[in-house]
Each structure stands twice: as structure tokens, then as C-alpha cells.
Amino acid sequence: MQRIEITEREAGRRLDAYLGKVLPGAGLSFICRMLRKKNIKLNGARAEGAARINAGDVIELFFSDETYARLKDPHRVLREDAVAHDDEANAAQASVGGRQEAERRQYLDAYEKLKHVFVVYEDDDFIFIDKPVGVLSQKSDDESASVNEWLVGREIAEHGTTMESLTTFKPAFANRLDRNTSGIMLGGKTLRALQTLGSLIRSGQIEKIYLCLADGHPDPEFAVTADRFYQATGYLIKDEENNMVRVFRTSREGAKKIRTGYRLVEDRTEDMLLEVNLYTGKSHQIRAQLSELGHPVVGDPKYGGRKVSGVRQMLHAYKVIFPEVDGFPAISGREFRTRVPSRFNK
């Protein structure tokens, strides 16, 4: 018999989904059959696959060691009845171990490469960071490093997280920022925390405030003031081929409605510093909408912004405000903000 105790990291997942992670060699139908036959028990009793697991729960698997090993590692070759195949079995095991070590090394390399990432807030469930300009939110190829790999590498390096435990849950960030947009990213270190962040973001309950330097000055078409958010709506269509979006003022087929608030912080010589409230969080929303309004983001030539030597796009996600959040008093109703980058100073 094998015994698995659930930790806070995995709490909240469906039992059958968790078992699918622990036993990648077992299909869902097999897992359901084993649950029905009580070959798999939860807290000493029969359980349904849809049951939610909690920290401290105990799963018992009434399998032979050989069956458990085969289901846990489907690449492993178990041929104890044939001595002639010992080398093949060892090679298969070494291959699996080699892949895991290579993956572990990638995480640690990302952690070392991005050690300058600043942590805004952290507790046992959450980690909020200030992503620098030029750093990816998500990995784009095998060679690149993103803050998600950095986070896993950090858990390995600083908290001793094992590769085995990462098969059931990997900490990750719930929101994305463009490569050249800096600012706050919200990460979950436990499944329940990550699911909560995802739900709050999808429902628009987290208030997301950006700082932006836009070309030009307030005008009748863009009547921003310091005392309130100017409400701008539009309709956004993705151009997948060119990795861009287009924003229109009237509805179009296939377009998604967007809404953004803009408040004037300072009117400068060539441009204006804006505070931006992102009510709907679509890809490139702020950049494309400001361009359509005739005030593109400074340093964003992709959407018509003027180039400034040594300056990337002047857009920074600097503040989030949480609603009341059940079960997480540490973040409930709180505001978290990053430092304002020096490039926004005059």
C-alpha cells in the first residue's frame, strides 16, 4: 500500500485530477474504477473522483510496488523477470531521471538569470512581483526564461521544493504583461491561491492601475482631467499574424468590447503622464486604444509611438486593489503597489 498526504500546495484540486498528476500512466477510467473498487481510498473511505482534496487528507493506494511504480512513471521499464533486460531498464530509468534533472536545471538557471526580480509581497499562498522591462511573462521557446520559470526555480532553490512535488502543482502567475511592459504580477504558490487569483481576474474584481506616458496633450477627442477617470470604450480585434490588435470606436464582427479609464497626472512639454484603469484586460488594450485615440504610448513604435533613445514602451502596471476575498485575509481588501520606475521621472 502507498500513502500520500495532501499539503496546502495541492489543496482544492479534484481527487481524480490530482491522481492523474500523481499517476500519469493511469487513465481516468482506470482511476475511476479503482475508486469504485476501493483500491484507492480518501481518508480511509470510498470517495468520488469529483471530491475536492484538502490539506491533511490522506490518499491510500492499494497497489503492488511494481504497479505503483509503473503508473507513476510510465516511461520506466520493469522487467524483473528477464535479467537480460536489466541494462535496458536501467537506461530507461536514467533517461527519465536525466529529463527531470535537465528540467530542474532550467528552472534554477531562470532563477539565477532573473535574480534581480523584486518581490512586492509574499506569504505562504501568494507572491507578487515587479516584473522588469524586457522579461517574459511566459516562456516563448526552450532557450528563453520567464518569470514563471523563475518562480519555480526560486521555490526549488530557497524552499527545497522537489521535482516530484512539482508533478502535482507548479506555482505560477495568474496575469500576464507584455515583454516590454513592467509592473506587478500576481502569483499563486498553492493551487487554491492560484485558482482564487484566476477567478478574481476573470471576473474583473481586481482593480488594475497602470502608469503611462502618452504622446501629445489633452484635446476634445481625449478630454482627460486630473479629477476623474475619462471613460473610453472601443472594440478590439486580434491580428494573430502580426501579433497586434486593432481598436475601433464602433462594433465590428468578431470584435470584443473594451473599456478603459484615463486620468491626467501631469501634462508635460511633449507628452502627458496618465493613470490608467484597465477595466477589461485584453491583449495590448492600452497600447492599441491610445494609438487609435491619437496618443500612442511613448517608446512603442509598434502602435505609432515615437521612439526615444534607450527607452522601451512607457507603460507600467503599478498598483492593484483587491476586493474582499474569502479565506485569504492577508490580501482581502488590500492595495499593493510597485515602485514607480525612474524612467517616468522628468
Side-chain angles (χ1 to χ4, degrees):
M1 182 192 77
Q2 289 72 36
R3 185 178 184 276
I4 302 171
E5 185 169 346
I6 303 303
T7 68
E8 286 287 352
R9 291 168 60 87
E10 302 97 8
R13 194 184 292 275
R14 281 176 56 123
L15 176 60
D16 52 7
Y18 175 79
L19 289 168
K21 294 282 188 181
V22 174
L23 306 172
L28 180 60
S29 60
F30 175 82
I31 289 171
C32 292
R33 188 165 69 252
M34 292 299 99
L35 286 168
R36 286 197 303 272
K37 291 184 173 183
K38 297 184 183 179
N39 285 2
I40 301 176
K41 293 183 178 181
L42 179 64
N43 298 324
R46 182 179 180 276
E48 298 293 329
R52 297 285 175 177
I53 55 177
N54 299 298
D57 283 352
V58 174
I59 299 172
E60 295 169 315
L61 302 101
F62 295 89
F63 300 153
S64 69
D65 290 344
E66 181 176 333
T67 299
Y68 179 70
R70 178 167 49 81
L71 295 174
K72 187 176 178 63
D73 183 0
H75 300 289
R76 186 176 178 185
V77 179
L78 295 173
R79 294 295 301 274
E80 295 177 357
D81 59 331
V83 176
H85 290 277
D86 278 355
D87 289 343
E88 184 181 346
N90 290 336
Q93 280 186 267
S95 175
V96 172
R99 285 196 299 272
Q100 280 195 338
E101 180 56 30
E103 188 178 5
R104 179 176 179 274
R105 189 68 258 165
Q106 283 187 333
Y107 291 135
L108 290 172
D109 286 347
Y111 171 65
E112 289 295 327
K113 184 177 180 180
L114 302 178
K115 258 195 169 178
H116 59 292
V117 168
F118 179 75
V119 176
V120 174
Y121 172 80
E122 183 176 18
D123 61 24
D124 290 342
D125 294 294
F126 300 98
I127 180 168
F128 305 157
I129 66 164
D130 186 355
K131 185 190 82 67
V133 167
V135 174
L136 293 167
S137 293
Q138 288 192 321
K139 194 172 182 175
S140 60
D141 54 58
D142 290 340
E143 300 302 317
S144 62
S146 79
V147 289
N148 276 294
E149 282 71 48
W150 167 86
L151 178 55
V152 177
R154 185 176 185 269
E155 289 295 299
I156 294 170
E158 297 187 12
H159 302 291
T161 301
T162 64
M163 291 301 294
E164 184 174 1
S165 70
L166 291 172
T167 61
T168 55
F169 173 75
K170 285 188 179 75
F173 290 97
N175 63 320
R176 299 184 191 180
L177 293 175
D178 296 337
R179 183 174 197 153
N180 289 325
T181 298
S182 55
I184 196 162
M185 292 191 65
L186 310 176
K189 296 165 61 178
T190 64
L191 177 66
R192 195 164 65 95
L194 190 58
Q195 288 176 332
T196 297
L197 288 173
S199 176
L200 291 171
I201 290 170
R202 285 191 299 274
S203 60
Q205 294 184 69
I206 298 176
E207 193 171 349
K208 296 163 286 186
I209 308 295
Y210 288 67
L211 280 179
C212 168
L213 198 62
D215 271 331
H217 306 281
D219 57 42
E221 290 286 305
F222 190 58
V224 290
T225 62
D227 59 347
R228 63 180 179 84
F229 279 103
Y230 170 81
Q231 304 295 311
T233 59
Y235 298 86
L236 181 147
I237 295 179
K238 280 189 175 182
D239 178 356
E240 300 283 2
E241 186 176 340
N242 295 304
N243 189 29
M244 294 181 67
V245 302
R246 294 189 66 190
V247 171
F248 302 92
R249 299 193 189 191
T250 57
S251 181
R252 303 289 176 95
E253 184 179 353
K256 294 182 178 179
K257 188 173 182 178
I258 59 170
R259 189 166 68 92
T260 321
Y262 298 96
R263 188 180 72 81
L264 182 66
V265 177
E266 184 179 7
D267 195 4
R268 299 180 176 180
T269 304
E270 295 184 273
D271 41 52
M272 51 187 161
L273 183 62
L274 303 172
E275 194 175 61
V276 184
N277 196 331
L278 191 65
Y279 302 122
T280 54
K282 303 303 180 186
S283 180
H284 298 192
Q285 176 175 325
I286 298 171
R287 298 164 62 193
Q289 187 172 51
L290 281 173
S291 178
E292 194 276 332
L293 290 167
H295 300 281
V297 175
V298 172
D300 186 15
K302 187 168 191 173
Y303 285 98
R306 63 184 169 86
K307 294 182 180 180
V308 179
S309 179
V311 174
R312 306 280 185 98
Q313 63 197 34
M314 298 293 285
L315 183 61
H316 176 75
Y318 93 105
K319 182 170 70 176
V320 292
I321 303 170
F322 279 85
E324 297 299 317
V325 184
D326 291 340
F328 293 108
I331 65 166
S332 185
R334 285 188 62 185
E335 174 185 300
F336 298 92
R337 63 172 68 198
T338 69
R339 301 166 293 187
V340 176
S342 59
R343 70 184 190 274
F344 283 89
N345 298 330
K346 284 185 177 180

